[in-house]
Amino acid sequence: MKNRIAKKVCAAALAGLMTMALVPTSVFAAGTMTIGVTSFADTLEPTEQYFSWVISRYGVGQGLTRFDEEGNMVPCLATEWTNSEDGKTWTFTIREGVKFSNGNDMTPELVKASLERTIEMSNRVPEFFDIDSIEVDGQNIIFNLNRANANMAGCLADPLFLIMDTSIDNSNIAMEGPVCTGPYAFQSFDPSGDTVVVRNEYYWDGDVPNDSVTLRIIGDQTTRSMALQSGEIDVAYNLKTENVFEFDGNDNYNIQSLESLRSTYAFMNQNGALGDLALRQALLRGLDKETYTSVLLEGGATPGKAPVPPTLDYGYDDLNDENAYDPDGAKQVLEDAGYKDVDGDGYVEDPDGNPVELTFVYYDSRAELGVYAQAAQASLKEIGINIKLDCVSYETLLDRRDSSQYDLLIWNVLVANTGDPENYLRENWYSTSANNTAGYANEDVDKWLDELSETIDTDARKELIVKIQQAIMDDAATVFFGYENTFLISKASVEGLVMYPMDYYWVTADMQMAE
């Protein structure tokens, strides 16, 4: 991955002068920082949805393994690991001398208890591995699997498997957060305001420079940019190309950018009208993704066509997209399938004469998602497909996805959350995955994903991933809108801030304000 991730850090800045009067004095207090983030979680229960990512990103949660700045897997709470030849038994040696932020020792028994809690409470676990049992043998944790897994160490780097102290009362974990081993611990949590983490005095891996870090929810990217310009915050996550122009050319700011390992796509719910392959094919052919990304997003994304972006070497250029942009072809597909505008309102009815209105659900904390949704609505109107937009919070979108209440539902996700795309593909397109609420099912895809989990050879894994992608594309299962470039903008006085390809680590022990 090291050679496949393009990363640049450049000086950037604010046009105009800022006065000290604009900067809150609290920003300059010793040992404190404020980071502007988007809304993401309404609970700190790590087994709920993807909310463990917040716990990891905010410097609180850690797992047995982690990814470094180049995307390589490295030890964390485990120092080493081995696996049996058949891939069904994995042994991890637990790091000695680690304490939780409450001062309790992290023992192998507590590691086991934490993992078992996650396995019991999260419906996402089967998408990572099929566990039979976990044993403790001295300083080792032994995973016995029912299904071979070639990438167990990568799976355990996902924040879902963070290690928390289960020996204490966790009845208020939703608002107080888990007690973990990272450089910081939760002091307070406000899902719509400020969350504050404070130094973990028992941190095992060196000094922690900040007394506290405030994570401030600023959902609107323009407001978040202005907050950085005014000095209200020191770091702004998830700004876009248009915001970069506001800072470009001034050494008071640093910009880090990363060619995306994220894909923005929309599930098409096959339990409703989109169960018709012809309608899905026409919809895909009606979307001008080149214009969306190059013009509307000002080059801030690469047009999408496949599950895995071209930044990863999984056959992107060799994949055949038979449903590429072709509005005339889209109209022909609809006509051939019996869709026509019976009442003259500009929108087609289905072959039985029923109106076709597709609800497109998207969330409001990532501005580009609204751009895609609104552009898709306009494009599809041109070919006679009626799209109704429904903008909701991220938390509501999760509920809508889980209850299958959508026709199209947008999603933005890291495609290599375990080091490669295996888990991402299984989680979203395996027929029995808890997250596959769109009703997609392809026996070959299931078979290849099962084979992939047992395959260690790199070339063989790549071949399987390419076949899985092509099948998903041929089935017109999903709208792949684009692969966004990611930007991280901070004051130049912020030191030790690193943009990781696996974006699990926003707050680290290395991050501080220059003295």
Side-chain angles (χ1 to χ4, degrees):
M1 183 174 297
K2 181 175 181 180
N3 294 326
R4 297 195 296 270
I5 299 171
K7 187 176 183 180
K8 67 177 182 179
V9 182
C10 60
L14 165 70
L17 298 174
M18 293 192 304
T19 65
M20 293 293 289
L22 291 173
V23 184
T25 56
S26 60
V27 172
F28 292 105
T32 66
M33 293 184 65
T34 302
I35 300 176
V37 300
T38 59
S39 174
F40 187 77
D42 54 11
T43 174
L44 292 177
E45 167 55 66
T47 62
E48 288 278 333
Q49 301 289 354
Y50 293 83
F51 299 151
S52 56
W53 286 41
V54 167
I55 300 165
S56 174
R57 284 172 167 175
Y58 292 2
V60 174
Q62 294 180 315
L64 299 186
T65 58
R66 66 187 300 273
F67 294 102
D68 66 14
E69 298 173 28
E70 303 296 339
N72 301 307
M73 191 168 53
V74 295
C76 189
L77 298 179
T79 57
E80 58 184 0
W81 50 89
T82 58
N83 61 286
S84 61
E85 188 173 340
D86 65 1
K88 292 186 177 181
T89 303
W90 285 78
T91 301
F92 289 77
T93 301
I94 303 305
R95 188 179 298 276
E96 298 186 57
V98 176
K99 292 181 179 293
F100 293 105
S101 60
N102 59 6
N104 290 345
D105 290 330
M106 186 195 74
T107 64
E109 289 76 14
L110 285 178
V111 170
K112 175 177 181 286
S114 177
L115 293 167
E116 288 177 335
R117 179 183 189 274
T118 299
I119 291 166
E120 178 183 354
M121 295 181 65
S122 173
N123 64 5
R124 293 179 57 218
V125 173
E127 294 149 15
F128 290 88
F129 48 78
D130 184 359
I131 192 76
D132 178 43
S133 64
I134 304 177
E135 304 173 27
V136 173
D137 180 15
Q139 203 61 25
N140 295 326
I141 292 285
I142 303 171
F143 295 85
N144 299 302
L145 306 178
N146 294 314
R147 183 185 73 232
N149 189 314
N151 190 32
M152 186 68 178
C155 290
L156 293 174
D158 189 283
L160 178 61
F161 302 103
L162 59 81
I163 304 303
M164 56 174 279
D165 188 352
T166 60
S167 69
I168 60 174
D169 178 12
N170 282 299
S171 59
N172 294 321
I173 192 172
M175 291 304 295
E176 295 178 358
V179 173
C180 300
T181 61
Y184 292 92
F186 285 109
Q187 181 181 76
S188 62
F189 171 61
D190 181 348
S192 60
D194 287 358
T195 292
V196 179
V197 295
V198 295
R199 178 190 293 114
N200 173 7
E201 301 292 347
Y202 299 96
Y203 184 51
W204 60 274
D205 195 22
D207 296 332
V208 180
N210 297 301
D211 297 324
S212 66
V213 177
T214 297
L215 292 306
R216 180 156 297 161
I217 299 294
I218 308 175
D220 179 71
Q221 70 181 49
T222 300
T223 306
R224 200 158 58 251
S225 175
M226 291 174 63
L228 181 59
Q229 296 173 43
S230 72
E232 177 189 341
I233 61 177
D234 305 302
V235 180
Y237 270 93
N238 289 336
L239 294 180
K240 304 303 175 186
T241 305
E242 59 266 34
N243 304 120
V244 174
F245 297 147
E246 300 168 353
F247 296 89
D248 192 21
N250 187 311
D251 292 341
N252 291 328
Y253 296 90
N254 287 334
I255 299 173
Q256 299 184 51
S257 68
L258 186 67
E259 286 188 12
S260 188
L261 295 183
R262 283 184 166 271
S263 177
T264 297
Y265 52 98
F267 296 110
M268 289 194 280
N269 193 343
Q270 297 183 29
N271 299 304
L274 287 169
D276 185 354
L277 173 62
L279 183 58
R280 299 198 307 274
Q281 290 174 325
L283 188 152
L284 287 172
R285 296 178 191 198
L287 299 173
D288 185 3
K289 291 175 277 189
E290 175 66 42
T291 295
Y292 305 163
T293 55
S294 63
V295 178
L296 300 182
L297 294 179
E298 302 182 68
T302 302
K305 73 172 186 181
V308 180
T311 44
L312 296 174
D313 184 18
Y314 290 101
Y316 184 88
D317 291 336
D318 297 325
L319 292 168
N320 176 44
D321 185 9
E322 66 172 340
N323 294 308
Y325 181 54
D326 178 9
D328 290 335
K331 293 176 183 178
Q332 189 64 53
V333 169
L334 290 172
E335 182 179 340
D336 292 345
Y339 290 84
K340 54 185 176 180
D341 181 9
V342 176
D343 57 12
D345 66 351
Y347 296 111
V348 298
E349 280 73 39
D350 69 17
D352 296 324
N354 301 308
V356 176
E357 182 183 80
L358 305 177
T359 300
F360 191 159
V361 182
Y362 67 99
Y363 59 100
D364 55 10
S365 59
R366 299 183 72 100
E368 73 274 15
L369 305 185
V371 172
Y372 283 131
Q374 293 165 34
Q377 182 187 48
S379 294
L380 295 175
K381 181 179 181 179
E382 296 298 316
I383 64 169
I385 296 179
N386 188 8
I387 300 293
K388 174 186 174 183
L389 299 182
D390 189 3
C391 181
V392 300
S393 69
Y394 177 76
E395 294 79 12
T396 299
L397 178 125
L398 293 175
D399 293 337
R400 296 286 293 275
R401 183 202 64 173
D402 290 351
S403 59
S404 195
Q405 295 182 46
Y406 62 91
D407 291 301
L408 295 109
L409 183 141
I410 208 157
W411 204 240
N412 177 279
V413 70
L414 187 67
V415 304
N417 60 313
T418 59
D420 75 9
E422 178 188 344
N423 174 257
Y424 155 73
L425 294 169
R426 176 177 286 273
E427 193 164 32
N428 292 297
W429 292 284
Y430 195 82
S431 62
T432 59
S433 164
N435 282 349
N436 179 8
T437 61
Y440 175 71
N442 181 314
E443 291 182 0
D444 285 335
V445 170
D446 284 356
K447 179 185 69 175
W448 293 331
L449 281 167
D450 286 339
E451 187 177 344
L452 179 63
S453 69
E454 301 179 3
T455 301
I456 296 176
D457 180 76
T458 301
D459 291 337
R461 289 180 67 83
K462 176 179 176 179
E463 182 179 343
L464 284 166
I465 289 171
V466 171
K467 290 200 297 185
I468 291 165
Q469 291 187 87
Q470 189 64 68
I472 292 168
M473 294 170 65
D474 291 346
D475 290 336
T478 307
V479 179
F480 296 101
F481 278 110
Y483 319 110
E484 277 68 47
N485 296 328
T486 305
F487 297 98
L488 173 59
I489 304 178
S490 61
K491 293 178 180 178
S493 54
V494 175
E495 297 180 341
L497 182 66
V498 172
M499 193 176 197
Y500 288 83
M502 310 305 181
D503 58 356
Y504 303 149
Y505 321 111
W506 289 4
V507 177
T508 69
D510 298 323
M511 186 188 69
Q512 62 181 316
M513 302 298 294
E515 296 182 2

